Short mmCIF file of all heavy atoms in Angstrom, two decimals:
data_model
loop_
_atom_site.label_atom_id
_atom_site.label_comp_id
_atom_site.label_asym_id
_atom_site.label_seq_id
_atom_site.Cartn_x
_atom_site.Cartn_y
_atom_site.Cartn_z
N ALA S 210 -9.01 -2.52 -6.93
CA ALA S 210 -8.24 -3.77 -7.21
C ALA S 210 -8.74 -4.54 -8.41
O ALA S 210 -8.04 -5.44 -8.90
CB ALA S 210 -8.40 -4.72 -5.92
N THR S 211 -10.00 -4.32 -8.81
CA THR S 211 -10.49 -4.96 -10.03
C THR S 211 -10.00 -4.36 -11.27
O THR S 211 -10.18 -4.97 -12.35
CB THR S 211 -12.08 -4.83 -10.04
OG1 THR S 211 -12.41 -3.50 -9.84
CG2 THR S 211 -12.64 -5.71 -8.90
N VAL S 212 -9.41 -3.30 -11.35
CA VAL S 212 -8.87 -2.73 -12.51
C VAL S 212 -7.64 -3.55 -13.08
O VAL S 212 -6.71 -3.89 -12.30
CB VAL S 212 -8.28 -1.27 -12.26
CG1 VAL S 212 -7.60 -0.67 -13.57
CG2 VAL S 212 -9.51 -0.30 -11.83
N PRO S 213 -7.72 -4.09 -14.29
CA PRO S 213 -6.69 -4.92 -14.84
C PRO S 213 -5.28 -4.19 -14.66
O PRO S 213 -5.14 -3.06 -15.04
CB PRO S 213 -7.03 -5.11 -16.31
CG PRO S 213 -8.54 -5.00 -16.31
CD PRO S 213 -8.88 -3.90 -15.29
N GLY S 214 -4.36 -4.99 -14.22
CA GLY S 214 -3.00 -4.47 -14.08
C GLY S 214 -2.71 -4.00 -12.69
O GLY S 214 -1.51 -3.88 -12.22
N VAL S 215 -3.76 -3.72 -11.80
CA VAL S 215 -3.54 -3.42 -10.42
C VAL S 215 -3.35 -4.72 -9.62
O VAL S 215 -3.98 -5.68 -9.88
CB VAL S 215 -4.75 -2.63 -9.90
CG1 VAL S 215 -4.68 -2.46 -8.36
CG2 VAL S 215 -4.92 -1.34 -10.53
N VAL S 216 -2.42 -4.69 -8.69
CA VAL S 216 -2.10 -5.82 -7.84
C VAL S 216 -3.09 -5.90 -6.70
O VAL S 216 -2.93 -5.05 -5.76
CB VAL S 216 -0.67 -5.83 -7.37
CG1 VAL S 216 -0.38 -7.12 -6.44
CG2 VAL S 216 0.31 -5.76 -8.48
N GLY S 217 -4.06 -6.78 -6.74
CA GLY S 217 -5.03 -6.90 -5.68
C GLY S 217 -4.53 -7.74 -4.48
O GLY S 217 -4.19 -8.89 -4.69
N VAL S 218 -4.56 -7.29 -3.33
CA VAL S 218 -3.96 -7.95 -2.12
C VAL S 218 -4.96 -8.30 -1.08
O VAL S 218 -5.77 -7.41 -0.66
CB VAL S 218 -2.88 -7.06 -1.47
CG1 VAL S 218 -2.19 -7.86 -0.30
CG2 VAL S 218 -1.85 -6.65 -2.46
N GLY S 219 -4.97 -9.54 -0.69
CA GLY S 219 -5.81 -10.05 0.40
C GLY S 219 -5.02 -10.39 1.59
O GLY S 219 -3.85 -10.20 1.59
N GLY S 220 -5.79 -10.71 2.63
CA GLY S 220 -5.09 -10.89 3.94
C GLY S 220 -4.96 -12.29 4.47
O GLY S 220 -5.82 -13.09 4.29
N LEU S 221 -3.83 -12.49 5.12
CA LEU S 221 -3.62 -13.80 5.83
C LEU S 221 -3.46 -13.54 7.44
O LEU S 221 -3.15 -12.49 7.87
CB LEU S 221 -2.28 -14.37 5.35
CG LEU S 221 -2.19 -14.69 3.96
CD1 LEU S 221 -0.75 -15.17 3.62
CD2 LEU S 221 -3.14 -15.79 3.46
N THR S 222 -3.76 -14.67 8.13
CA THR S 222 -3.62 -14.53 9.65
C THR S 222 -2.20 -14.63 9.95
O THR S 222 -1.26 -14.93 9.14
CB THR S 222 -4.42 -15.75 10.22
OG1 THR S 222 -3.73 -17.00 9.86
CG2 THR S 222 -5.87 -15.92 9.80
N LYS S 223 -1.87 -14.53 11.23
CA LYS S 223 -0.63 -14.53 11.75
C LYS S 223 -0.01 -15.98 11.56
O LYS S 223 1.24 -16.21 11.38
CB LYS S 223 -0.57 -14.16 13.25
CG LYS S 223 0.82 -13.92 13.85
CD LYS S 223 0.69 -13.34 15.21
CE LYS S 223 2.07 -13.08 15.78
NZ LYS S 223 1.98 -12.55 17.15
N SER S 224 -0.83 -16.98 11.51
CA SER S 224 -0.42 -18.27 11.29
C SER S 224 -0.30 -18.74 9.80
O SER S 224 0.12 -19.78 9.51
CB SER S 224 -1.38 -19.38 11.93
OG SER S 224 -2.64 -19.31 11.32
N GLY S 225 -0.54 -17.76 8.89
CA GLY S 225 -0.35 -17.93 7.48
C GLY S 225 -1.53 -18.49 6.72
O GLY S 225 -1.44 -18.82 5.59
#
Side-chain angles (χ1 to χ4, degrees):
T211 50
V212 176
V215 172
V216 181
V218 181
L221 298 176
T222 66
K223 196 172 178 181
S224 65

